[in-house]
Amino acid sequence: MSNRVKSFPVWGLFALLTNIILMLAVIVLIWRQQKLTPVLATTAIPDSPEPVNLNWKNQYVSPELGPRHKLSYPQWLDILKQEAKMTARKNPQRLTILAGDSLSLWFPPELLPEDRIWLNQGISGEVSNGLLQRLDFFDRTQPEIIFVMVGINDLIRGLDDQEILANYRQIISYLRKKHPQSEIVIQSILPHGAEGVTWEGKEKLLAIPNPRIRNLNQELNNLATEKAVRYLDLHPLFTDKQGNLRTNFTTDGLHLSPPGYLVWRTALKMYTNQQVTPQVPHLEKISSKNRI
């Protein structure tokens, strides 16, 4: 038993402590939100110059970004490729990338932590293999952190857990090779709203038991540990007592409402404020081989 304790990585203990702190912070955030009145309300996000409308039941029936919401997948690819190219040219300090599906795509820019530059590489309906195929878009960028969240659309399309994990393994390997100085963070897959789902693909979504998502997240956690990358466990921050996506955090049982993004923002802000030095064990080995 003592050998197991000694062999447990220090950064693993740190990650556990971080998740506990995040849980406490979000509990406070949820408690504050529950005190909001049902009338039109606004709240000022810390460090944000503009108030954010929290009347999401009336104002945010579905994720909407105007004409951009109707773009095809190839059109999205062109846009993200150009945005990544422009970012690489500017080479901003403290660049942070969101890579994933519609949950990342619809993240309100005004809610992202302001102390860094963000490059959003999310596409609506994205699957893990699709993300893998376009990681080269931001090869020339120099991100401090890369946040990855993808997988719910794989489950909706019927992929089994091992296929998803295999794609994640390739995603991590690719990012580690192309961005050896970057901190790679795998974010857990969020649950869905169960019987409260109103999303157009309700039947396919309900065919995925939320316990399966929880188990898959555990496998992602294990994979992150194996590959020496970070794991940010958002899942428990968004669940109700039944393990489903909290109704006040979603617009349709799948996509997030502004209060849901506020929770995610809190997690990202607390995580990025830690300014953790990336854990890249293999770098020391590589550099030692090249020493003269």
Side-chain angles (χ1 to χ4, degrees):
M1 181 67 179
S2 60
N3 291 335
R4 290 184 179 179
V5 174
K6 292 181 180 179
S7 63
F8 193 80
V10 175
W11 64 266
L13 293 173
F14 181 80
L16 178 61
L17 179 60
T18 299
N19 281 331
I20 292 175
I21 295 174
L22 282 175
M23 282 291 292
L24 293 176
V26 173
I27 287 174
V28 172
L29 181 61
I30 294 173
W31 176 74
R32 288 179 178 176
Q33 288 177 352
Q34 288 177 338
K35 300 180 75 174
L36 292 173
T37 58
V39 298
L40 182 64
T42 61
T43 184
I45 306 303
D47 303 324
S48 176
E50 298 294 335
V52 177
N53 193 339
L54 285 186
N55 189 22
W56 56 272
K57 289 185 178 180
N58 295 329
Q59 302 295 327
Y60 294 88
V61 177
S62 62
E64 183 70 35
L65 287 183
R68 288 168 69 93
H69 183 55
K70 301 178 181 180
L71 295 176
S72 65
Y73 189 83
Q75 289 173 323
W76 272 118
L77 292 179
D78 290 338
I79 289 176
L80 297 190
K81 185 182 297 183
Q82 291 303 316
E83 290 177 348
K85 183 182 297 184
M86 291 175 60
T87 301
R89 289 175 181 171
K90 295 180 180 179
N91 192 24
Q93 297 296 310
R94 307 203 74 188
L95 174 63
T96 305
I97 296 177
L98 288 178
D101 51 35
S102 60
L103 294 181
S104 296
L105 169 65
W106 307 126
F107 206 122
E110 66 273 14
L111 291 189
L112 289 167
E114 304 86 355
D115 59 346
R116 56 190 57 246
I117 301 299
W118 294 86
L119 174 61
N120 194 324
Q121 291 281 287
I123 292 184
S124 182
E126 186 62 287
V127 293
S128 56
N129 185 60
L131 176 60
L132 175 63
Q133 299 303 318
R134 60 183 177 85
L135 292 176
D136 62 329
F137 285 7
F138 52 89
D139 276 357
R140 296 179 180 274
T141 64
Q142 299 181 35
E144 180 180 291
I145 307 176
I146 304 172
F147 287 100
V148 178
M149 180 192 285
V150 71
I152 188 63
N153 290 308
D154 294 73
L155 295 172
I156 292 173
R157 296 189 184 190
L159 271 70
D160 62 45
D161 294 3
Q162 293 308 310
E163 290 179 275
I164 299 172
L165 291 169
N167 288 335
Y168 257 100
R169 188 178 298 274
Q170 293 185 68
I171 288 172
I172 294 172
S173 296
Y174 185 93
L175 293 177
R176 175 61 74 221
K177 178 180 179 181
K178 295 295 183 178
H179 306 279
Q181 302 298 333
S182 302
E183 184 170 322
I184 300 168
V185 183
I186 302 302
Q187 302 174 103
S188 57
I189 301 171
L190 301 184
H192 58 70
E195 294 303 323
V197 171
T198 59
W199 180 59
E200 57 186 2
K202 178 177 180 178
E203 293 184 2
K204 292 182 178 180
L205 195 58
L206 292 182
I208 309 164
N210 272 323
R212 179 186 173 188
I213 296 178
R214 186 174 62 249
N215 293 336
L216 178 56
N217 281 330
Q218 183 57 57
E219 292 297 326
L220 288 174
N221 191 357
N222 296 340
L223 179 59
T225 301
E226 173 192 332
K227 291 293 187 178
V229 299
R230 303 293 186 179
Y231 179 76
L232 183 56
D233 192 8
L234 299 172
H235 187 274
L237 308 181
F238 286 83
T239 55
D240 58 20
K241 294 180 180 180
Q242 290 72 43
N244 304 322
L245 183 59
R246 292 174 58 93
T247 57
N248 56 323
F249 288 170
T250 181
T251 58
D252 56 8
L254 174 62
H255 299 96
L256 298 182
S257 63
Y261 279 111
L262 277 172
V263 172
W264 196 352
R265 168 199 163 89
T266 300
L268 291 178
K269 192 169 182 64
M270 291 186 65
Y271 187 90
T272 56
N273 283 349
Q274 293 167 4
Q275 298 181 334
V276 182
T277 302
Q279 301 292 322
V280 191
H282 68 285
L283 286 182
E284 183 177 352
K285 297 180 180 179
I286 294 175
S287 60
S288 63
K289 291 180 180 179
N290 294 332
R291 288 174 185 165
I292 299 177

